[in-house]
């Protein structure tokens, strides 16, 4: 019997060369229709799309139970953020928009850079969440120094009322990621992007015992499973198999909370089974 889950981190790239490569690696099609039809059959009850591309075009035509973070992956340090603020605010006024996603490393700016101050203030104004890419980069051209999870500590301390989601648990900088989460009650971690490509969970946990042990060590160090959210980073992995992998990192009594309900708290989503697909 498959487990129900809320996918708090996935992408719809709309046939980019990058996403075509990822989806081809796992035998999926890179389309919204494929994602919804395929994984809706295997327990997906809804999710949060992490935005990419032109700001104005993000977040349209989301089905019931699905939300989005407006992504700032095409704003470079030479741009004037004030020009984008009206569009960002318009998104944050929508119920379907639950936050803003920053892409440090892909964008050559630290997440605590003054460049983003007015964005953080808008998030506080509308009680929305800041999601931040942390850890390894998919593109070799980016710089890891910007994506180190330690930089979220500055934001979390300076903006204690702001909910922050550390995407990818800072992997592979797990010790520093865990320290930031322990130090700041307003920081969560999503567990997307810890693997990429095809894998079989039962085989992977046997052959990669050291990696699994390291993940479990820092999850247990934090000692609060409610601080972790399930996400897949699709089309990086097959979602139904990734559910098995993440479930293997937690005790049975913790799994449902991690797979489904923690995301509602982190993104301030009112949970209602009537607006979640396949949730009955």
């Amino acid at each position: 019997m498959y487990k129900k889950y809320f996918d708090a981190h996935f992408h719809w790239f709309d046939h980019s060369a990058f996403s075509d490569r990822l989806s081809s690696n796992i035998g999926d099609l890179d389309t919204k229709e494929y994602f919804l039809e395929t994984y809706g059959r295997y327990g997906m009850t809804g999710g949060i799309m992490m935005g990419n591309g032109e700001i104005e075009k993000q977040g349209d035509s989301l089905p019931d139970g699905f939300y989005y973070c407006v992504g700032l992956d095409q704003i470079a340090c030479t741009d004037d953020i004030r020009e984008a603020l009206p569009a960002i605010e318009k998104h944050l006024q929508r119920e379907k928009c639950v936050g803003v996603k920053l892409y440090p490393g892909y964008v050559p700016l630290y997440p605590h850079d003054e460049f983003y101050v007015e964005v953080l203030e808008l998030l506080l104004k509308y009680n929305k969440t800041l999601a931040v890419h942390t850890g390894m980069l998919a593109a070799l051209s980016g710089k890891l120094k910007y994506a180190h999870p330690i930089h979220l500590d500055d934001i979390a301390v300076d903006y204690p009322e702001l909910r922050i989601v550390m995407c990818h648990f800072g992997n592979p900088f797990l010790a520093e990621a865990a320290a930031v989460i322990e130090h700041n009650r307003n920081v969560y971690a999503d567990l997307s992007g810890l693997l990429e490509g095809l894998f079989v969970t039962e085989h992977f946990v046997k052959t990669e015992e050291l990696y699994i042990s390291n993940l479990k060590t820092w999850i247990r160090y934090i000692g609060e499973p409610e601080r972790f959210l399930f996400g897949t980073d699709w089309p990086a992995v097959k979602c139904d198999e990734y559910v098995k992998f993440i479930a293997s990192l937690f005790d049975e009594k913790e799994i449902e909370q991690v797979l489904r309900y923690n995301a509602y708290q982190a993104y301030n989503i009112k949970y209602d089974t009537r607006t979640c697909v396949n949730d009955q």
Side-chain angles (χ1 to χ4, degrees):
M1 180 65 180
Y2 55 77
K3 296 182 182 295
K4 292 184 180 295
Y5 63 92
F6 182 90
D7 191 341
H9 189 131
F10 66 89
H11 299 268
W12 287 336
F13 290 102
D14 193 24
H15 293 302
S16 73
F18 172 68
S19 62
D20 284 347
R21 175 180 63 80
L22 289 178
S23 59
S24 177
N25 285 344
I26 61 173
D28 280 2
L29 298 178
D30 176 29
T31 67
K32 176 175 69 174
E33 293 75 19
Y34 180 91
F35 176 82
L36 294 171
E37 179 182 352
T38 302
Y39 297 109
R41 295 200 304 263
Y42 296 113
M44 181 177 61
T45 64
I48 300 171
M49 180 190 70
M50 296 294 162
N52 298 95
E54 296 180 43
I55 293 176
E56 291 78 5
K57 296 181 179 180
Q58 296 182 29
D60 293 335
S61 303
L62 287 171
D64 288 346
F66 286 83
Y67 305 85
Y68 73 102
C69 285
V70 57
L72 307 186
D73 63 336
Q74 293 193 358
I75 296 181
C77 58
T78 55
D79 294 331
D80 188 344
I81 188 66
R82 288 172 295 182
E83 294 180 2
L85 288 176
I88 294 171
E89 184 165 17
K90 186 176 180 179
H91 280 288
L92 294 176
Q93 291 169 344
R94 300 176 179 175
E95 183 178 355
K96 285 280 191 179
C97 182
V98 294
V100 169
K101 168 76 180 293
L102 303 185
Y103 289 84
Y106 299 103
V107 174
L109 286 172
Y110 294 107
H112 57 76
D113 193 280
E114 291 185 3
F115 183 82
Y116 293 119
V117 167
E118 291 171 284
V119 174
L120 302 182
E121 292 173 350
L122 282 177
L123 288 169
L124 288 173
K125 177 180 177 180
Y126 291 101
N127 194 22
K128 300 297 174 85
T129 299
L130 175 69
V132 184
H133 171 87
T134 61
M136 187 54 66
L137 305 170
L140 296 179
S141 58
K143 293 185 177 180
L144 282 173
K145 66 178 183 179
Y146 296 111
H148 197 290
I150 197 67
H151 302 305
L152 297 193
D153 186 61
D154 290 64
I155 304 174
V157 171
D158 292 343
Y159 297 86
E161 302 303 316
L162 178 64
R163 294 181 305 277
I164 302 168
V165 173
M166 176 193 295
C167 300
H168 319 308
F169 194 22
N171 189 47
F173 308 112
L174 297 174
E176 294 89 343
V180 172
I181 295 169
E182 182 187 33
H183 185 227
N184 300 284
R185 299 297 308 172
N186 54 331
V187 177
Y188 302 79
D190 83 33
L191 297 171
S192 68
L194 302 181
L195 300 179
E196 179 183 321
L198 284 174
F199 65 92
V200 176
T201 298
E202 292 79 6
H203 176 72
F204 186 85
V205 297
K206 291 179 181 179
T207 58
E208 301 296 337
E209 291 182 3
L210 290 177
Y211 180 50
I212 299 297
S213 176
N214 199 26
L215 284 169
K216 287 184 174 181
T217 293
W218 293 112
I219 288 171
R220 294 290 177 264
Y221 169 83
I222 294 168
E224 297 176 88
E226 64 270 20
R227 309 284 287 282
F228 292 95
L229 324 178
F230 175 77
T232 62
D233 211 17
W234 189 86
V237 293
K238 284 190 171 294
C239 303
D240 49 337
E241 191 64 40
Y242 202 71
V243 169
K244 299 178 188 177
F245 167 64
I246 296 300
S248 73
L249 303 176
F250 292 89
D251 295 336
E252 187 65 33
K253 65 180 183 296
E254 302 167 343
I255 292 172
E256 187 173 28
Q257 198 72 26
V258 173
L259 293 182
R260 299 177 70 189
Y261 301 116
N262 292 343
Y264 304 138
Q265 177 69 29
Y267 284 99
N268 194 33
I269 296 171
K270 293 182 179 180
Y271 174 67
D272 186 342
T273 57
R274 293 170 299 179
T275 62
C276 292
V277 296
N278 300 329
D279 206 34
Q280 302 300 320

